[in-house]
Amino acid sequence: MASEPYQPRKLFTVEQANAALPLVRSITADLVQLSREVIERRERLALLSAGRSATAADPYSEELTQIEEELEKDSIQLQEYVEELRALGVEPKSGPEGLIDFPSMMDDRLVFLCWKLGEGELMFWHELEAGYRGRQSLVAGTLSDEGAAGPNDEAH
């Protein structure tokens, strides 16, 4: 069964995406920090839990249970960060790396403007299926203020 084609909540021009960056950057910074903490704690929990049966006699069982409960709360918070970003119309792609895609139009086709936490502004784009490794540099005039292709664009 074929999946439904991607339908973005919003389309961005480069200018609109850059204007949204202060809020996106703030949420993404929180998402990255908490994602990395959760990954680290899950790895530690797995090591501590390996070969251990949860019994009342285990002096660490209460601590392990507390860590599991905190991880559950943090996982809910991570999902809330993702939903906040999606509500803005962007697509979070990697919590730990801070990768965010902004849906846009180029040459009458849907593409992603690609931004990573730490970059000052949007400087890259990629095809929907290409992902981070398929990033290409945004060239002046690539995406006009209306989101249509500029006069110097050629098919890649």
Side-chain angles (χ1 to χ4, degrees), residues 118-143:
E119 295 174 347
E121 62 184 20
L122 274 102
M123 298 179 289
F124 301 96
W125 70 277
H126 62 78
E127 301 289 347
L128 292 186
E129 303 302 321
Y132 183 77
R133 292 181 185 264
R135 290 189 351 154
Q136 300 177 50
S137 180
L138 279 171
V139 179
T142 301
L143 299 174

mmCIF file of all heavy atoms in Angstrom, residues 118-143:
data_model
loop_
_atom_site.group_PDB
_atom_site.id
_atom_site.type_symbol
_atom_site.label_atom_id
_atom_site.label_comp_id
_atom_site.label_asym_id
_atom_site.label_seq_id
_atom_site.Cartn_x
_atom_site.Cartn_y
_atom_site.Cartn_z
ATOM 1 N N GLY A 118 23.540 25.636 15.740
ATOM 2 C CA GLY A 118 24.906 26.125 15.663
ATOM 3 C C GLY A 118 25.143 26.932 14.397
ATOM 4 O O GLY A 118 26.072 27.736 14.335
ATOM 5 N N GLU A 119 24.315 26.707 13.373
ATOM 6 C CA GLU A 119 24.422 27.493 12.146
ATOM 7 C C GLU A 119 23.680 28.808 12.353
ATOM 8 O O GLU A 119 22.583 28.828 12.909
ATOM 9 C CB GLU A 119 23.831 26.731 10.950
ATOM 10 C CG GLU A 119 24.613 25.476 10.616
ATOM 11 C CD GLU A 119 23.987 24.612 9.538
ATOM 12 O OE1 GLU A 119 22.805 24.832 9.189
ATOM 13 O OE2 GLU A 119 24.684 23.705 9.060
ATOM 14 N N GLY A 120 24.270 29.898 11.903
ATOM 15 C CA GLY A 120 23.691 31.222 12.120
ATOM 16 C C GLY A 120 22.412 31.478 11.360
ATOM 17 O O GLY A 120 21.533 32.198 11.819
ATOM 18 N N GLU A 121 22.320 30.890 10.173
ATOM 19 C CA GLU A 121 21.122 31.071 9.343
ATOM 20 C C GLU A 121 20.995 29.867 8.424
ATOM 21 O O GLU A 121 21.889 29.026 8.365
ATOM 22 C CB GLU A 121 21.228 32.355 8.524
ATOM 23 C CG GLU A 121 22.396 32.367 7.562
ATOM 24 C CD GLU A 121 22.541 33.680 6.821
ATOM 25 O OE1 GLU A 121 22.006 34.693 7.279
ATOM 26 O OE2 GLU A 121 23.192 33.684 5.771
ATOM 27 N N LEU A 122 19.879 29.810 7.708
ATOM 28 C CA LEU A 122 19.695 28.725 6.758
ATOM 29 C C LEU A 122 20.618 28.926 5.576
ATOM 30 O O LEU A 122 20.597 29.977 4.938
ATOM 31 C CB LEU A 122 18.238 28.676 6.279
ATOM 32 C CG LEU A 122 17.365 27.865 7.225
ATOM 33 C CD1 LEU A 122 16.578 28.774 8.093
ATOM 34 C CD2 LEU A 122 16.532 26.913 6.465
ATOM 35 N N MET A 123 21.430 27.911 5.297
ATOM 36 C CA MET A 123 22.387 27.995 4.199
ATOM 37 C C MET A 123 22.306 26.789 3.270
ATOM 38 O O MET A 123 23.040 26.707 2.297
ATOM 39 C CB MET A 123 23.812 28.099 4.766
ATOM 40 C CG MET A 123 24.050 29.347 5.604
ATOM 41 S SD MET A 123 25.718 29.440 6.290
ATOM 42 C CE MET A 123 25.672 28.138 7.533
ATOM 43 N N PHE A 124 21.413 25.823 3.574
ATOM 44 C CA PHE A 124 21.359 24.586 2.805
ATOM 45 C C PHE A 124 19.915 24.162 2.529
ATOM 46 O O PHE A 124 18.991 24.563 3.230
ATOM 47 C CB PHE A 124 22.062 23.451 3.569
ATOM 48 C CG PHE A 124 23.498 23.738 3.870
ATOM 49 C CD1 PHE A 124 23.864 24.263 5.099
ATOM 50 C CD2 PHE A 124 24.487 23.498 2.928
ATOM 51 C CE1 PHE A 124 25.189 24.542 5.389
ATOM 52 C CE2 PHE A 124 25.818 23.777 3.210
ATOM 53 C CZ PHE A 124 26.169 24.298 4.441
ATOM 54 N N TRP A 125 19.778 23.313 1.537
ATOM 55 C CA TRP A 125 18.494 22.702 1.213
ATOM 56 C C TRP A 125 18.767 21.269 0.754
ATOM 57 O O TRP A 125 19.910 20.907 0.459
ATOM 58 C CB TRP A 125 17.760 23.485 0.115
ATOM 59 C CG TRP A 125 18.403 23.365 -1.242
ATOM 60 C CD1 TRP A 125 19.464 24.098 -1.704
ATOM 61 C CD2 TRP A 125 18.069 22.442 -2.270
ATOM 62 N NE1 TRP A 125 19.801 23.683 -2.969
ATOM 63 C CE2 TRP A 125 18.957 22.677 -3.352
ATOM 64 C CE3 TRP A 125 17.105 21.452 -2.392
ATOM 65 C CZ2 TRP A 125 18.903 21.936 -4.524
ATOM 66 C CZ3 TRP A 125 17.047 20.723 -3.575
ATOM 67 C CH2 TRP A 125 17.942 20.969 -4.617
ATOM 68 N N HIS A 126 17.714 20.449 0.710
ATOM 69 C CA HIS A 126 17.845 19.103 0.145
ATOM 70 C C HIS A 126 16.489 18.612 -0.326
ATOM 71 O O HIS A 126 15.443 19.118 0.074
ATOM 72 C CB HIS A 126 18.492 18.120 1.134
ATOM 73 C CG HIS A 126 17.723 17.897 2.399
ATOM 74 N ND1 HIS A 126 16.613 17.089 2.471
ATOM 75 C CD2 HIS A 126 17.909 18.384 3.646
ATOM 76 C CE1 HIS A 126 16.159 17.080 3.725
ATOM 77 N NE2 HIS A 126 16.931 17.869 4.445
ATOM 78 N N GLU A 127 16.530 17.633 -1.211
ATOM 79 C CA GLU A 127 15.301 16.982 -1.684
ATOM 80 C C GLU A 127 14.652 16.279 -0.495
ATOM 81 O O GLU A 127 15.323 15.963 0.489
ATOM 82 C CB GLU A 127 15.624 15.965 -2.787
ATOM 83 C CG GLU A 127 16.320 16.545 -4.003
ATOM 84 C CD GLU A 127 15.433 17.434 -4.878
ATOM 85 O OE1 GLU A 127 14.198 17.429 -4.704
ATOM 86 O OE2 GLU A 127 15.989 18.143 -5.729
ATOM 87 N N LEU A 128 13.349 16.021 -0.600
ATOM 88 C CA LEU A 128 12.616 15.419 0.518
ATOM 89 C C LEU A 128 13.258 14.122 1.010
ATOM 90 O O LEU A 128 13.352 13.910 2.211
ATOM 91 C CB LEU A 128 11.162 15.139 0.117
ATOM 92 C CG LEU A 128 10.276 16.343 -0.126
ATOM 93 C CD1 LEU A 128 8.837 15.892 -0.369
ATOM 94 C CD2 LEU A 128 10.326 17.340 1.018
ATOM 95 N N GLU A 129 13.692 13.277 0.098
ATOM 96 C CA GLU A 129 14.217 11.965 0.491
ATOM 97 C C GLU A 129 15.736 11.963 0.685
ATOM 98 O O GLU A 129 16.294 10.967 1.112
ATOM 99 C CB GLU A 129 13.836 10.915 -0.556
ATOM 100 C CG GLU A 129 12.340 10.789 -0.799
ATOM 101 C CD GLU A 129 11.557 10.447 0.458
ATOM 102 O OE1 GLU A 129 12.049 9.640 1.276
ATOM 103 O OE2 GLU A 129 10.452 10.985 0.618
ATOM 104 N N ALA A 130 16.408 13.072 0.385
ATOM 105 C CA ALA A 130 17.877 13.085 0.417
ATOM 106 C C ALA A 130 18.445 13.152 1.828
ATOM 107 O O ALA A 130 19.501 12.595 2.099
ATOM 108 C CB ALA A 130 18.409 14.252 -0.412
ATOM 109 N N GLY A 131 17.785 13.853 2.734
ATOM 110 C CA GLY A 131 18.284 13.955 4.096
ATOM 111 C C GLY A 131 19.524 14.812 4.217
ATOM 112 O O GLY A 131 19.977 15.454 3.266
ATOM 113 N N TYR A 132 20.092 14.824 5.411
ATOM 114 C CA TYR A 132 21.225 15.686 5.755
ATOM 115 C C TYR A 132 22.410 15.488 4.805
ATOM 116 O O TYR A 132 23.062 16.445 4.406
ATOM 117 C CB TYR A 132 21.642 15.418 7.201
ATOM 118 C CG TYR A 132 22.756 16.310 7.692
ATOM 119 C CD1 TYR A 132 22.503 17.631 8.058
ATOM 120 C CD2 TYR A 132 24.055 15.834 7.801
ATOM 121 C CE1 TYR A 132 23.520 18.455 8.525
ATOM 122 C CE2 TYR A 132 25.080 16.646 8.257
ATOM 123 C CZ TYR A 132 24.800 17.958 8.618
ATOM 124 O OH TYR A 132 25.812 18.771 9.067
ATOM 125 N N ARG A 133 22.696 14.249 4.438
ATOM 126 C CA ARG A 133 23.842 13.967 3.561
ATOM 127 C C ARG A 133 23.648 14.537 2.161
ATOM 128 O O ARG A 133 24.613 14.729 1.435
ATOM 129 C CB ARG A 133 24.111 12.469 3.492
ATOM 130 C CG ARG A 133 24.618 11.907 4.792
ATOM 131 C CD ARG A 133 24.900 10.416 4.650
ATOM 132 N NE ARG A 133 25.282 9.839 5.904
ATOM 133 C CZ ARG A 133 26.545 9.657 6.279
ATOM 134 N NH1 ARG A 133 27.521 10.032 5.503
ATOM 135 N NH2 ARG A 133 26.811 9.119 7.445
ATOM 136 N N GLY A 134 22.396 14.823 1.795
ATOM 137 C CA GLY A 134 22.106 15.366 0.474
ATOM 138 C C GLY A 134 22.020 16.885 0.462
ATOM 139 O O GLY A 134 21.546 17.468 -0.518
ATOM 140 N N ARG A 135 22.466 17.523 1.543
ATOM 141 C CA ARG A 135 22.378 18.990 1.616
ATOM 142 C C ARG A 135 23.169 19.651 0.505
ATOM 143 O O ARG A 135 24.272 19.222 0.194
ATOM 144 C CB ARG A 135 22.917 19.497 2.966
ATOM 145 C CG ARG A 135 22.036 19.161 4.102
ATOM 146 C CD ARG A 135 22.320 19.756 5.450
ATOM 147 N NE ARG A 135 23.508 20.484 5.748
ATOM 148 C CZ ARG A 135 23.598 21.407 6.701
ATOM 149 N NH1 ARG A 135 22.533 21.715 7.430
ATOM 150 N NH2 ARG A 135 24.714 22.024 6.956
ATOM 151 N N GLN A 136 22.555 20.692 -0.047
ATOM 152 C CA GLN A 136 23.203 21.500 -1.069
ATOM 153 C C GLN A 136 23.152 22.947 -0.617
ATOM 154 O O GLN A 136 22.208 23.357 0.044
ATOM 155 C CB GLN A 136 22.490 21.336 -2.407
ATOM 156 C CG GLN A 136 22.482 19.900 -2.898
ATOM 157 C CD GLN A 136 21.707 19.768 -4.193
ATOM 158 O OE1 GLN A 136 21.945 20.534 -5.126
ATOM 159 N NE2 GLN A 136 20.799 18.819 -4.235
ATOM 160 N N SER A 137 24.148 23.709 -1.019
ATOM 161 C CA SER A 137 24.217 25.106 -0.620
ATOM 162 C C SER A 137 23.104 25.917 -1.268
ATOM 163 O O SER A 137 22.781 25.719 -2.433
ATOM 164 C CB SER A 137 25.576 25.672 -1.023
ATOM 165 O OG SER A 137 25.670 27.029 -0.650
ATOM 166 N N LEU A 138 22.515 26.803 -0.470
ATOM 167 C CA LEU A 138 21.544 27.747 -1.025
ATOM 168 C C LEU A 138 22.329 28.830 -1.762
ATOM 169 O O LEU A 138 23.233 29.434 -1.196
ATOM 170 C CB LEU A 138 20.735 28.406 0.094
ATOM 171 C CG LEU A 138 19.570 27.620 0.656
ATOM 172 C CD1 LEU A 138 19.020 28.315 1.889
ATOM 173 C CD2 LEU A 138 18.483 27.433 -0.376
ATOM 174 N N VAL A 139 21.986 29.061 -2.999
ATOM 175 C CA VAL A 139 22.641 30.079 -3.804
ATOM 176 C C VAL A 139 21.698 31.269 -3.876
ATOM 177 O O VAL A 139 20.484 31.107 -3.934
ATOM 178 C CB VAL A 139 22.934 29.542 -5.222
ATOM 179 C CG1 VAL A 139 23.593 30.600 -6.088
ATOM 180 C CG2 VAL A 139 23.805 28.307 -5.140
ATOM 181 N N ALA A 140 22.230 32.489 -3.853
ATOM 182 C CA ALA A 140 21.381 33.681 -3.954
ATOM 183 C C ALA A 140 20.434 33.521 -5.125
ATOM 184 O O ALA A 140 20.832 33.157 -6.225
ATOM 185 C CB ALA A 140 22.256 34.916 -4.141
ATOM 186 N N GLY A 141 19.158 33.754 -4.856
ATOM 187 C CA GLY A 141 18.150 33.649 -5.902
ATOM 188 C C GLY A 141 17.555 32.265 -6.039
ATOM 189 O O GLY A 141 16.671 32.055 -6.859
ATOM 190 N N THR A 142 18.024 31.289 -5.257
ATOM 191 C CA THR A 142 17.491 29.941 -5.372
ATOM 192 C C THR A 142 16.016 29.913 -5.013
ATOM 193 O O THR A 142 15.212 29.316 -5.701
ATOM 194 C CB THR A 142 18.258 28.959 -4.457
ATOM 195 O OG1 THR A 142 19.621 28.978 -4.831
ATOM 196 C CG2 THR A 142 17.723 27.560 -4.576
ATOM 197 N N LEU A 143 15.664 30.564 -3.920
ATOM 198 C CA LEU A 143 14.272 30.628 -3.491
ATOM 199 C C LEU A 143 13.905 32.088 -3.321
ATOM 200 O O LEU A 143 14.472 32.782 -2.499
ATOM 201 C CB LEU A 143 14.060 29.881 -2.164
ATOM 202 C CG LEU A 143 14.377 28.389 -2.184
ATOM 203 C CD1 LEU A 143 14.272 27.817 -0.785
ATOM 204 C CD2 LEU A 143 13.450 27.643 -3.111
#
